[in-house]
Amino acid sequence: MEQVILETAGLTKSFEQGAAVLKKIDFSIHQGEVVVIVGPSGCGKSTFLRCLNLLEEAEGDILLEGKIINKEKKNIHRYREQIGMVFQSYELFPHKTVLDNVTLAPLLVQKREKEEVRQEAEKLLSRVGLAEKAKSYPRQLSGGQKQRVAIVRALIMHPKVLLLDEITAALDPEMVREVLQVVLELAREGMTMVIVTHEMEFARAVADRVIFLDQGEIVEEEKPEEFFSYPKTDRAKKFLNTFHYEALEI
């Protein structure tokens, strides 16, 4: 088996005086693996990703290649560079072109050579079908195009693992496929990814492993065929049945 890239031990997260959103989560992902996290709204999926990216402080340990990274405040930005994250809301700078949005972080944060970064950015934009949009501004793009730019912006930082948080949630149905296709290609190429999604067919197609999260706990963890065809817990069965019912009603 490949090396463990990212893992948590007893990860627990609470907000103010409320109940724990995440409850002692033990998790690991190996190099080249794609783990998809599914579960009902409010179960802690997005919070878990934000903890992995060190955007939220939490109890317990987060380890990158065996090194605890959530206890060292001075190195937090260096570790965050290695754990790329793509949000559902794109987070693009509206006053900068697509090319500038993609190249800003590697130039300012990683201090890389301008020409090298520009060439890589253009190559990545071409790879996701956006070569002709390099000089466009976000307002001139569709939602699907903006999300592909956001993925490129994460990839150009050369992360060791990529976190994707409901990246199709804000998209019109016809734009969903173009974004999911990019993610499927990344999976085939061996990109290590943790994906939160409500697209069950996509989850089934892309995942090496599916984690079902409910009320801040891992309730079930299986290979995709096993989880979607033969869920073991009543909670997972109810979740999948509800999803299928809602899908038919759309």
Side-chain angles (χ1 to χ4, degrees):
M1 177 149 320
E2 295 286 351
Q3 173 190 3
V4 172
I5 294 293
L6 188 63
E7 58 189 312
T8 68
L11 189 71
T12 300
K13 173 65 179 178
S14 300
F15 290 105
E16 297 179 353
Q17 301 303 315
V21 179
L22 300 173
K23 305 171 185 176
K24 297 184 178 181
I25 300 289
D26 293 331
F27 164 86
S28 65
I29 183 170
H30 294 81
Q31 184 174 356
E33 187 180 20
V34 177
V35 174
V36 173
I37 301 175
V38 300
S41 297
C43 70
K45 303 186 299 294
S46 293
T47 299
F48 180 60
L49 290 195
R50 290 178 64 83
C51 289
L52 291 181
N53 191 244
L54 307 179
L55 292 171
E56 298 281 358
E57 293 186 6
E59 299 176 17
D61 294 332
I62 301 172
L63 299 90
L64 181 66
E65 296 181 321
K67 180 179 177 62
I68 295 175
I69 62 174
N70 60 319
K71 305 290 174 67
E72 298 183 34
K73 301 293 184 183
K74 64 179 181 180
N75 291 319
I76 191 169
H77 295 296
R78 181 163 61 86
Y79 294 134
R80 194 176 289 151
E81 287 175 34
Q82 301 175 64
I83 306 172
M85 187 160 180
V86 183
F87 304 87
Q88 63 174 279
S89 54
Y90 324 130
E91 306 290 345
L92 301 179
F93 293 109
H95 61 289
K96 292 186 177 293
T97 66
V98 166
L99 187 61
D100 288 341
N101 265 282
V102 171
T103 59
L104 184 64
L107 291 175
L108 292 183
V109 178
Q110 296 180 329
K111 309 297 184 184
R112 287 157 58 186
E113 291 294 328
K114 185 175 182 179
E115 183 59 24
E116 176 259 321
V117 171
R118 183 189 64 79
Q119 289 182 10
E120 183 177 4
E122 290 177 346
K123 182 178 179 181
L124 286 170
L125 287 170
S126 178
R127 173 179 169 183
V128 300
L130 294 175
E132 76 285 358
K133 299 293 185 180
K135 295 182 180 179
S136 299
Y137 288 87
R139 66 178 180 275
Q140 299 170 306
L141 306 180
S142 70
Q145 290 170 333
K146 290 176 186 176
Q147 197 57 283
R148 282 183 280 162
V149 172
I151 292 171
V152 167
R153 184 180 56 185
L155 291 175
I156 201 169
M157 298 295 284
H158 304 158
K160 293 179 178 177
V161 59
L162 188 61
L163 313 178
L164 305 171
D165 185 18
E166 296 279 20
I167 59 171
T168 62
L171 301 181
D172 293 332
E174 63 267 23
M175 298 177 184
V176 169
R177 182 174 294 276
E178 64 189 43
V179 174
L180 297 186
Q181 187 59 43
V182 171
V183 180
L184 281 168
E185 290 172 5
L186 290 173
R188 293 188 190 109
E189 294 168 9
M191 186 74 204
T192 308
M193 292 185 282
V194 184
I195 303 172
V196 166
T197 185
H198 63 283
E199 301 282 347
M200 294 299 113
E201 290 306 315
F202 168 67
R204 191 168 191 158
V206 75
D208 294 307
R209 182 161 41 105
V210 175
I211 289 176
F212 176 61
L213 200 66
D214 187 36
Q215 297 183 354
E217 298 179 295
I218 295 176
V219 175
E220 198 160 334
E221 186 172 356
E222 296 288 352
K223 295 288 187 182
E225 276 304 312
E226 190 72 17
F227 176 75
F228 288 108
S229 298
Y230 310 104
K232 291 182 171 57
T233 63
D234 290 339
R235 187 64 189 91
K237 291 174 184 176
K238 183 178 179 181
F239 170 76
L240 291 173
N241 286 338
T242 301
F243 171 81
H244 291 313
Y245 173 78
E246 290 177 347
L248 288 172
E249 292 294 303
I250 291 174

